[in-house]
Amino acid sequence: FFQAEDGIRDVERSRGLGDVYKRQTQSTWVINQLIMKHIVNTSWEGKMKFDSVVSGHHIILDATNEVGGENAGPRPKELMLSALAGCTGMDVVSILKKMKVEPCLLYTSP
């Protein structure tokens, strides 16, 4: 059996997209997990406004006027959905490039 990170098991070597994961050794996965640190610093700016610093980028999060905010930035849920869409898009582009297919248009929407 070949075990992929996503838990898919195959009796034979995969010739599909999952083969990339199956070629990784356990030590490669452990090293990647130890190196990949993500530090996010978030500070309260008053009312419902927060400033998050992510990899040197400031991201302002806020609530609408109706719930005590100033609408100075996206809501946390919107930002999380945007991050998920971006992550999914990056995975798709990466897989397409490994397949030597150049993406011409990628659009994600709810």
Side-chain angles (χ1 to χ4, degrees), residues 4-78:
E5 286 183 57
D6 58 6
I8 298 172
R9 293 176 185 245
D10 289 333
V11 176
E12 299 176 9
R13 282 196 179 270
S14 172
R15 287 176 247 139
L17 299 176
D19 193 45
V20 173
Y21 293 111
K22 292 180 179 106
R23 284 185 262 136
Q24 289 185 354
T25 63
Q26 182 66 25
S27 61
T28 303
W29 184 84
V30 170
I31 290 169
N32 287 338
Q33 295 303 311
L34 293 174
I35 294 173
M36 297 174 71
K37 290 185 180 180
H38 302 284
I39 298 173
V40 176
N41 294 310
T42 301
S43 59
W44 179 50
E45 301 291 313
K47 293 189 178 182
M48 299 293 282
K49 184 177 175 182
F50 289 85
D51 180 11
S52 281
V53 181
V54 182
S55 301
H57 302 279
H58 287 265
I59 301 172
I60 302 297
L61 296 100
D62 202 358
T64 61
N65 296 331
E66 293 82 25
V67 294
E70 298 174 336
N71 200 26
R75 268 37 85 215
K77 189 189 297 185
E78 294 169 344

